[in-house]
Amino acid sequence: MEQEEKTADPVAPTGAPPWASRTFGSAAPVISARDLVVDIPVAMLIALLALPQAVALAALVGVPAQYGIYAAVFPVVVAAVVGRFRFLVSGPETAIAMLIGATLAGLALPVSPEYVKLVLLLTFMAGIIQLVVALGRFGRLLDLISSTVIEGLTAAVAVSILVAAVPAGFGVELNSRGLLSLLNSLPELLAGVRAGSGMVFVITLVTGLVLLRLWPRFTLLGAFLAGNFSAFLISAAGSGPWGADIRYLDPLQLELLPLSNPFASGAVGPIIGTLVTGALSIALLGLVQTTLLARSLGNRSEERVDTEREILAQGVSNTFAGFFSGFAGSASFSRSTALHQLGARTRLAPLLAGVLMMLVAFGGQGMMSMIAVPVISGVLALTSVGIFSMLDVKRVAAQPQELMIFWLTLVSALFIGLNEGVLIGVGLSILIYFWITSWPRVRVEELTTSDGLPMHRVEVIGNLFFGSVPGVEKVLRRWTSRDGKPSTLVVSLDHVTYLDLPAGRMLLEEGKRRRRAGAGFFLVVDRDTLVEPLRRAGVPCFALSNFGIQ
């Protein structure tokens, strides 16, 4: 049996103190004073960057702002303790937040206690699904999902954010979300524009776009500060209509230990199907994003990443979020990339970021009511712009099947729903994978035996399973005879890594058909793993490397 050789983590030197070993396991880092000098400022900066995003994503989900703070603290700390990769920061994430809002749209009034209870239940359900994937070691199945699904859904999320942020930025409250709703409500939107709110929104957006070119790392933080400063100036200029146009967040009521019960919702029987579909979409999207980001940052930093461990960390953190007044999240592209760029030294950095986030929020919770709502809308609009800039459109357009997955996911997510877009994209990518693998390459060589009879040598490259049986069988039957004489067939399975029972039976029946026609049929096998499925199919095995059908 082949054994996988495990290499040491280059960033986790041995000799860790006992407390670190208990917390981080065998991959415990040695944390020196020099590491702390780097990691504490990095963690503080990540916490400051995460604050406006957490508040904005809470609005996107439809819960009070403090729930965004909680989601950016407790799940982050849990994921940092359970996970192993120093650059991966979990917490609120744009696409996940949009999926939560899309799942619960129409089930309860946003911000209401019943709506918050549904958010907690949905978060817990998504975490349990992720734990099942981690503990069952089903993470390998995520490789079947094309990354183009994420590209298509990400584009749909970016459009959906703009659709939600622009009306709110101009002070207009629409009764429903979605692109079609916005187009149908254009007269209402134009009639309800508030000048002061719109000016703050535009200042926030323009400041962020400028910083995106000059100082991209601080785009959201700089735009957040500039927008709120402009709102303060406009409000202080007088009590005219412009100042009165600007709405502010309600005061925060943070708790040090915000325990919650995700099972506190009333009867959910009538909506359980919607919740399960939403939880499945959230769990899948979160895991795919986490694994893709972990591999990407691992390649950049030339470090080995245990994706199975990061999947487990994601499941544990989302499950905990349901009990600590948070909502579902995943590995954050913006914060994880910033952590890598800032040069975090140990896995203590993301953990400290969560703790410092709570301290910053507690210290400034009295100032939260000074955050203008159009500023939050501007931050969300900037987030969508950043999402568009990350799309790899050239790679998608280079392959027709990937382009089809992209457009079908995008269109279905925009016009049917984000959850449906996820499931349709995932299903399509798996179907395309099976379609491609069901057509293994087949090489045919025409030969002549020593007594002048025709013979064909067929080499199969790929997997032989139920899906590929019809295609391979069609190729084999194409070479039945030559010059009116039945041809002996030699099938080489040297490059076949997997063979199931239907494929073995197909080979058995083909061999019997050849023998009835007066020709020979032989299998050449060099892999022990193929012998047993051939035996179960009834193929007589006379020798390991040469089977003949009598």
Side-chain angles (χ1 to χ4, degrees):
M1 181 180 296
E2 295 182 359
Q3 294 184 348
E4 182 181 354
E5 182 180 351
K6 295 184 178 180
T7 58
D9 187 342
V11 298
T14 58
W19 68 267
S21 297
R22 285 193 299 270
T23 304
F24 294 98
S26 59
V30 173
I31 301 174
S32 65
R34 182 178 301 176
D35 294 329
L36 290 177
V37 168
V38 174
D39 282 353
I40 290 177
V42 167
M44 176 60 76
L45 187 55
I46 294 298
L48 291 175
L49 293 174
L51 181 60
Q53 190 177 31
V55 175
L57 293 183
L60 202 59
V61 171
V63 294
Q66 59 263 33
Y67 287 86
I69 304 296
Y70 298 146
V73 174
F74 296 101
V76 172
V77 172
V78 171
V81 171
V82 179
R84 291 288 181 261
F85 190 37
R86 59 174 171 157
F87 294 132
L88 212 57
V89 184
S90 293
E93 205 280 328
T94 309
I96 303 296
M98 282 295 300
L99 276 179
I100 296 173
T103 299
L104 301 180
L107 300 183
L109 188 65
V111 189
S112 67
E114 186 56 36
Y115 185 91
V116 172
K117 292 175 183 177
L118 289 177
V119 169
L120 297 175
L121 177 60
L122 185 64
T123 296
F124 175 79
M125 292 171 64
I128 291 297
I129 293 173
Q130 292 174 333
L131 280 179
V132 170
V133 173
L135 298 177
R137 297 198 172 271
F138 300 131
R140 180 69 178 83
L141 296 176
L142 297 175
D143 294 335
L144 301 181
I145 302 175
S146 171
S147 60
T148 307
V149 174
I150 306 301
E151 298 278 353
L153 184 69
T154 300
V157 165
V159 174
S160 300
I161 290 174
L162 281 177
V163 168
V166 172
F170 283 92
V172 180
E173 295 184 9
L174 297 180
N175 295 326
S176 58
R177 299 181 180 183
L179 183 59
L180 292 179
S181 299
L182 177 66
L183 295 177
N184 293 331
S185 306
L186 274 180
E188 176 188 349
L189 173 63
L190 295 176
V193 168
R194 298 183 177 185
S197 180
M199 176 169 286
V200 173
F201 173 76
V202 170
I203 290 174
T204 305
L205 186 59
V206 171
T207 303
L209 292 175
V210 172
L211 289 175
L212 188 62
R213 297 294 302 270
L214 302 179
W215 209 6
R217 189 179 302 167
F218 299 98
T219 298
L220 296 184
L221 183 60
F224 180 78
L225 295 175
N228 279 297
F229 183 67
S230 68
F232 170 76
L233 292 179
I234 293 174
S235 298
S239 57
W242 282 34
D245 280 346
I246 303 173
R247 293 190 300 112
Y248 293 85
L249 294 179
D250 295 329
L252 286 185
Q253 297 177 347
L254 293 176
E255 300 177 18
L256 274 176
L257 198 62
L259 296 177
S260 58
N261 181 9
F263 310 110
S265 296
V268 295
I271 60 172
I272 189 64
T274 301
L275 293 177
V276 170
T277 301
L280 184 61
S281 299
I282 291 167
L284 286 176
L285 178 61
L287 292 183
V288 172
Q289 286 193 165
T290 298
T291 53
L292 288 177
L293 182 58
R295 289 170 183 166
S296 174
L297 292 177
N299 290 335
R300 291 188 207 173
S301 58
E302 298 182 351
E303 297 177 21
R304 184 179 66 87
V305 180
D306 184 356
T307 54
E308 292 287 347
R309 185 72 183 197
E310 302 307 326
I311 289 173
L312 176 63
Q314 200 57 58
V316 174
S317 67
N318 278 333
T319 304
F320 265 76
F323 292 97
F324 286 90
S325 302
F327 51 82
S330 72
S332 167
F333 282 94
S334 58
R335 295 190 294 279
S336 297
T337 303
L339 203 65
H340 176 261
Q341 292 174 342
L342 292 170
R345 297 286 294 269
T346 71
R347 282 176 286 275
L348 190 63
L351 190 150
L352 281 175
V355 175
L356 292 173
M357 171 78 169
M358 192 63 168
L359 295 177
V360 169
F362 253 96
Q365 64 177 316
M367 302 174 61
M368 289 295 174
S369 59
M370 299 173 62
I371 298 176
V373 171
V375 173
I376 301 302
S377 299
V379 170
L380 287 174
L382 287 170
T383 302
S384 70
V385 172
I387 290 174
F388 280 123
S389 66
M390 292 189 299
L391 294 177
D392 192 359
V393 180
K394 290 184 179 180
R395 179 192 64 81
V396 172
Q399 297 177 294
Q401 69 269 21
E402 297 296 324
L403 190 60
M404 180 175 64
I405 293 175
F406 175 83
W407 280 111
L408 190 59
T409 303
L410 173 60
V411 172
S412 59
L414 284 177
F415 295 101
I416 302 177
L418 290 176
N419 288 323
E420 290 78 3
V422 173
L423 298 180
I424 289 173
V426 168
L428 183 61
S429 63
I430 292 176
L431 284 176
I432 289 178
Y433 170 81
F434 279 114
W435 174 261
I436 294 173
T437 56
S438 65
W439 294 94
R441 287 193 299 157
V442 179
R443 297 174 181 170
V444 180
E445 183 180 4
E446 296 191 17
L447 304 170
T448 303
T449 64
S450 57
D451 51 1
L453 296 176
M455 181 172 70
H456 290 92
R457 184 179 185 276
V458 176
E459 185 178 27
V460 181
I461 303 173
N463 294 324
L464 269 177
F465 67 105
F466 64 91
S468 61
V469 164
V472 174
E473 185 178 29
K474 184 177 180 180
V475 172
L476 297 183
R477 297 203 172 191
R478 188 183 303 162
W479 304 97
T480 301
S481 62
R482 189 174 69 202
D483 299 330
K485 299 178 182 180
S487 175
T488 295
L489 190 65
V490 178
V491 179
S492 173
L493 303 180
D494 292 350
H495 298 286
V496 173
T497 55
Y498 174 77
L499 186 145
D500 66 1
L501 190 60
R505 288 176 177 169
M506 180 271 293
L507 294 173
L508 176 65
E509 294 302 320
E510 181 64 21
K512 290 179 178 180
R513 192 181 69 83
R514 296 270 174 170
R515 295 298 294 177
R516 287 194 298 267
F521 182 84
F522 299 91
L523 297 178
V524 179
V525 182
D526 281 338
R527 294 179 181 270
D528 294 346
T529 54
L530 302 184
V531 175
E532 187 56 33
L534 288 170
R535 288 185 189 277
R536 289 200 304 268
V539 177
C541 305
F542 300 107
L544 179 61
S545 62
N546 196 342
F547 301 163
I549 304 297
Q550 300 297 311

